[in-house]
Amino acid sequence: MRPTIALLLLAASLIGGCDRQSGQPQQANAANVADEAVPAKLDKLDRSHKGEAAPTFAFTDPKGRKATLADFRGKPVLLNLWATWCAPCVKEMPTLDALAVREGERLQVLTISQDFEAAKIAPFFEKAKFRKLQAWHDPETAFSLQMGVNLPTTILYDSNGREIWRMLGDTDWVGGPAAKLIAEAS
């Protein structure tokens, strides 16, 4: 009974944390997100973790093999935490795919699902027909739980695995303002 209750509480916290679009300020407080140069559409930028090392949590690649962010050292990584049940997450996925196509080998775009049911991820990708994104999965939901972030959250790491910034909530990743932020990794 206790494991069931714990799982239900965990699910409720993740579902409740999905960054729904509303008129209210989103997840981060103004002290963490204030950046006068950031356009209104990117007002959810958080630089308070700048310089922190990437976490060492294990996740799985599309074939089920274990991986960590350290496996991508040597090039910048844009890590997106999302889930199939999170509407803002699903909304931004096509723009992440377009970004991954545009950036090519200069930037690794990792979309790591926080879904509890791994079986939902591959069908989502098949239906979406993404050109570059792959179906990575965090079966322990370690990223969202241990980092204390809501979905979607996107984090840019430099080629040495150091955080540059976090974007809280969904974003249009193909526009000029986002391109300027991505350029900070070079």
Side-chain angles (χ1 to χ4, degrees):
M1 176 85 167
R2 280 190 176 162
T4 302
I5 292 171
L7 184 57
L8 288 173
L9 288 173
L10 176 64
S13 70
L14 284 175
I15 290 169
C18 183
D19 188 23
R20 292 177 189 86
Q21 298 303 299
S22 69
Q24 299 298 318
Q26 302 202 13
Q27 304 149 33
N29 64 41
N32 286 343
V33 223
D35 186 49
E36 293 177 22
V38 176
K41 285 188 172 187
L42 301 177
D43 64 352
K44 302 166 280 188
L45 186 67
D46 179 353
R47 295 182 185 273
S48 67
H49 299 275
K50 185 173 183 167
E52 290 181 10
T56 58
F57 312 135
F59 52 94
T60 59
D61 71 9
K63 295 182 179 175
R65 296 178 297 223
K66 295 276 185 194
T68 67
L69 291 174
D71 296 331
F72 300 94
R73 283 250 165 86
K75 78 163 59 171
V77 171
L78 187 72
L79 168 69
N80 176 265
L81 303 174
W82 73 285
T84 58
W85 45 261
C86 173
C89 301
V90 171
K91 176 184 163 193
E92 80 175 337
M93 292 293 277
T95 68
L96 285 162
D97 188 50
L99 172 69
V101 169
R102 183 185 76 210
E103 293 296 316
E105 295 301 313
R106 292 185 305 256
L107 177 71
Q108 177 67 52
V109 178
L110 291 176
T111 52
I112 302 180
S113 173
Q114 301 296 287
D115 278 280
F116 294 118
E117 297 178 50
K120 292 184 176 187
I121 303 166
F124 173 84
F125 271 76
E126 288 169 17
K127 181 179 178 187
K129 298 187 185 324
F130 295 125
R131 294 177 290 166
K132 184 100 172 162
L133 296 183
Q134 296 182 3
W136 301 86
H137 182 227
D138 175 7
E140 304 297 323
T141 62
F143 282 93
S144 57
L145 292 177
Q146 292 187 34
M147 294 176 80
V149 299
N150 292 336
L151 301 179
T153 293
T154 305
I155 305 170
L156 181 65
Y157 293 99
D158 65 19
S159 59
N160 294 316
R162 297 282 177 190
E163 185 169 328
I164 298 173
W165 48 255
R166 298 177 182 200
M167 186 64 67
L168 310 171
D170 67 300
T171 300
D172 176 1
W173 292 105
V174 295
K180 288 180 183 175
L181 287 172
I182 298 293
E184 292 181 31
S186 44

